[in-house]
Amino acid sequence: QVQLVESGGGLVQAGGSLRVSCAASGSTFRRYTMGWFRQAPGKEREYVSAISWDSFSTYYANSVKGRFTISRDNTKNTVYLQMNNLKAEDTAGYYCAARFRGGVEGTQYDYWGQGTQVTVSS
């Protein structure tokens, strides 16, 4: 039982930065691994990043490693994805997802938000 709501998407120039956020409802947030996926129309869903419940473990896709940083604040029931040096190829809907006690290496998530659009203009 968890509801996820993303925010912070928008239009940004290539090379710029944007931070998307995902707020989770209820008391089930703390022990959940949180992930970010992205998907553009006509393209495959891509596993972007993830963070364990205690922030000890993180995952980044090679395409974003060194540019994106995932973090979470369990006291605020919120996970963040800081996106720097954005490229046109980063344009997609960004979706947060949650899995109870899942490892960051896995891609099977149980709960999904509705997404927030990130558009990078070149």
Side-chain angles (χ1 to χ4, degrees):
Q1 181 268 305
V2 58
Q3 291 78 43
L4 307 173
V5 180
E6 302 93 336
S7 63
L11 176 64
V12 63
Q13 292 277 352
S17 297
L18 202 63
R19 187 181 75 166
V20 291
S21 303
C22 176
S25 68
S27 301
T28 59
F29 179 80
R30 179 173 178 83
R31 294 286 179 165
Y32 276 74
T33 294
M34 299 296 299
W36 285 97
F37 293 75
R38 65 186 181 186
Q39 187 171 27
K43 298 186 68 176
E44 188 79 10
R45 184 178 300 159
E46 180 183 11
Y47 189 35
V48 175
S49 187
I51 186 167
S52 62
W53 74 271
D54 56 3
S55 298
F56 182 75
S57 300
T58 57
Y59 164 86
Y60 296 97
N62 289 333
S63 57
V64 307
K65 189 171 295 184
R67 299 187 298 120
F68 290 12
T69 303
I70 191 170
S71 62
R72 67 191 294 165
D73 185 342
N74 290 343
T75 68
K76 298 180 179 179
N77 293 342
T78 302
V79 62
Y80 309 94
L81 186 67
Q82 177 68 46
M83 303 180 289
N84 297 327
N85 192 23
L86 283 161
K87 307 173 180 179
E89 64 198 64
D90 296 317
T91 295
Y94 282 72
Y95 300 84
C96 66
R99 178 177 182 175
F100 184 65
R101 298 188 63 83
V104 298
E105 71 279 0
T107 59
Q108 184 69 45
Y109 282 76
D110 302 312
Y111 303 98
W112 295 81
Q114 292 298 307
T116 186
Q117 179 67 34
V118 172
T119 302
V120 184
S121 62
S122 59

